[in-house]
Amino acid sequence: MALNVICADAFEYNNERFADIQMLRYRLNGFENLSARQKALIYYLSEASLWGRDITTDQQGRYNIPIRKLLEQVYVNLSEKESDEARHFITYMKQIWFGNGIYHHYSKDKFTPEFSEKWLRAQVKKIKVEISKKELDTLCRVIFDPTLLAKGVNLAADADVVLTSAHNFYGDGVTQKDAEDFYAKMKASRQGSDLPMFGLNSTLIKEKGQLKEDVWKMGGKYGNAIAKIVENLKKASEYAENDKQKEVILKLIKYFETGNLDDFDAYSIAWVGSLDGMVDFICGFIETYGDPLSMKGTYEGIVQYKDMEATKRTQTISSNAQWFEDHSPVDPRFRKPQVKGITATVINSAMLAGDSYPSTPIGINLPNSDWIRAKHGSKSVTISNITDAYNKAAHGNGFSEEFVIDAETRALMEKYGDDCDYLHTDLHECLGHASGQLLSGTDPDALKNYSSTNEETRADLFALYYLADPKLIELGLLPDEEAYKAAYYSQMNNGLMTQLVRIKPGNNIEEAHMRNRALIANWCFEKGRKDNVMELVKKDGKTFLRINDYKALRGLFAELLAEIQRVKSEGDFEACRNLVETYGVKVNPELHKEILERYAKLNLAPYKGFINPVMTPVFGSDGRITDVKVDYTETYDHQMLRYSSQYAAQ
Ligand code: ZN
């Protein structure tokens, strides 16, 4: 049976590297323990999700699909791959696959080909690609002219963001004003507070001077791909784990059939309420970052199943929430008499598609509709096998060798680092944010622009304080009394030094989580100086952190937590500003320069993405799926070429 079990040690998380990208693989932990029904459900949901790939690609630029098709023909027929031109071409092809088009997935800038137009035209001629001269000329202009359609999404305030963005959500000649007026009118035509997200699932076009929506639905725009999505959703519905889940799938099918956004809302409400199954998914037009007006949803899909081990961990933490609250080192007046921990849902991703592939989020919080969130709530999950892959892939990338003081500390972090990381996140999310109370009469907005830094600092300190508590060993969450030291070292090292790799020279720290880490690290470093709790030492001209007294460091975390909680409970704005501005914002320019130089030498890829597993169903004599095999050996280019032919709906 369980042929898809693979040895943890043998799994290669890192795959190939090109341009600014490092490709990784993720592992379907515990997939082999799912029932045949659950596996079949995952399989058909995955098929449904993958069928939308060309929608995403077309949404992100009208020439994306013809360019990809042309280049793929050249790619598979390359007779030599060693020349500079060929190597540059291969990199460009891989970038286009990664970006689902000719724009960078993050910066939205057009990729710059480093091979020549002449070389490309010669290849096209050599392999006799069937393409008209006019079309080839157009595609070459789009590829090689850096000024033409330069930005996928242009948010510059002084421009018509619709006309100057190349993403393909608005038809020829539609201006920003056209779109804004059109949707303002649409909104005005409907009363009530439960309005759908107008414009989410259509291209706005101009026909004979009239604006109208070309809706993405069965029989409409992208109808072929959507028909395939629906076909597979129907098959998936036959394997639903319960009635609620089946209802979710059927409501999504209805929405794809009608294109009516009220149907989408009905689906979203059912989805928010569907919590019991092991399997869940998103598939459709979800996030609006790809549209400069933030209205149009880019197609994406993620198929997922619960991570039972991690969910057990968060349940253990939440069910002991009152014990943690009662023993926290803050003034008893600031503790909650009745605290309810939050159980975070942790999932494994089984398939990534559309805008979530190959670059993918590590957490999801949906739906985006404000009124549904207010009235029906939202679902929030973290994706453990993706986070796990990031962590595992980072082992051995040289970072630890460069920035951790000695082999002993490195061994500690190697042994306990990942476990501590997950636990830190759980304690932060499930207890930290939920802990504490305001004194009566305190204005909840008293900390103003410093409130989010205060809040993150508070949650982090709560987690750090308890990471060293014997209670965690008693609850079976940590193996022994050494483990917490890995978290303490990495917290301090990150806050004092390594997180600075994300700051440009001369800049201050702005982001709340980064400010929180700097605040904690700098405050504890200063307060611990007289007892030599920790020190910065020089080895071969490089600065390293050495922690001499981990127990004393826990005492400092307790002291700072008490103060940070007091500041919040009393709404002490002045004290809060003082703490943040003194410890959380400024950067030591000399140390910063040193860290940046050391980091640059490691030559790590700034962006990462994932190769999907390959799922193969096994059918019984009755035509029902009896098992699904998972394979992790497909290469990046093979997967991309396979998707292009297998899920071509245009
Ligand atoms: Zn937080």
Side-chain angles (χ1 to χ4, degrees), residues 428-429 433 455-456 459 513:
H428 175 118
E429 300 294 346
H433 283 307
E455 184 55 25
E456 294 310 327
H513 293 83

Side-chain angles (χ1 to χ4, degrees), residues 203-350:
T203 308
L204 184 65
I205 55 173
K206 219 178 225 178
E207 243 177 37
K208 296 175 194 148
Q210 290 287 336
L211 288 165
K212 64 172 239 191
E213 287 190 316
D214 199 356
V215 177
W216 312 330
K217 60 171 186 172
M218 295 260 287
K221 183 158 181 164
Y222 303 135
N224 292 345
I226 292 171
K228 284 294 193 179
I229 293 171
V230 165
E231 184 187 316
N232 283 284
L233 286 176
K234 281 184 178 156
K235 288 181 188 159
S237 73
E238 291 167 25
Y239 292 91
E241 294 174 87
N242 53 55
D243 290 347
K244 189 88 205 174
Q245 202 176 53
K246 185 166 189 152
E247 183 198 335
V248 170
I249 299 171
L250 295 179
K251 286 203 150 110
L252 182 60
I253 291 172
K254 182 173 181 215
Y255 159 62
F256 281 136
E257 285 170 348
T258 64
N260 183 334
L261 286 169
D262 291 311
D263 289 335
F264 179 61
D265 282 356
Y267 148 79
S268 296
I269 292 163
W271 180 79
V272 165
S274 167
L275 299 165
D276 292 338
M278 272 293 281
V279 180
D280 203 355
F281 73 109
I282 51 175
C283 172
F285 313 112
I286 310 290
E287 302 292 354
T288 57
Y289 311 111
D291 172 14
L293 298 182
S294 299
M295 304 190 77
K296 309 290 176 190
T298 304
Y299 176 84
E300 71 170 305
I302 299 182
V303 185
Q304 63 197 55
Y305 59 99
K306 279 183 188 154
D307 179 337
M308 291 315 286
E309 205 177 308
T311 303
K312 213 170 88 198
R313 199 172 62 217
T314 62
Q315 274 165 357
T316 304
I317 292 171
S318 295
S319 57
N320 287 280
Q322 194 64 50
W323 185 92
F324 288 102
E325 186 72 0
D326 294 346
H327 292 80
S328 97
V330 310
D331 187 324
R333 291 179 302 142
F334 308 146
R335 293 185 196 141
K336 269 201 183 101
Q338 303 255 297
V339 65
K340 207 175 165 301
I342 297 154
T343 302
T345 306
V346 187
I347 58 154
N348 285 297
S349 163

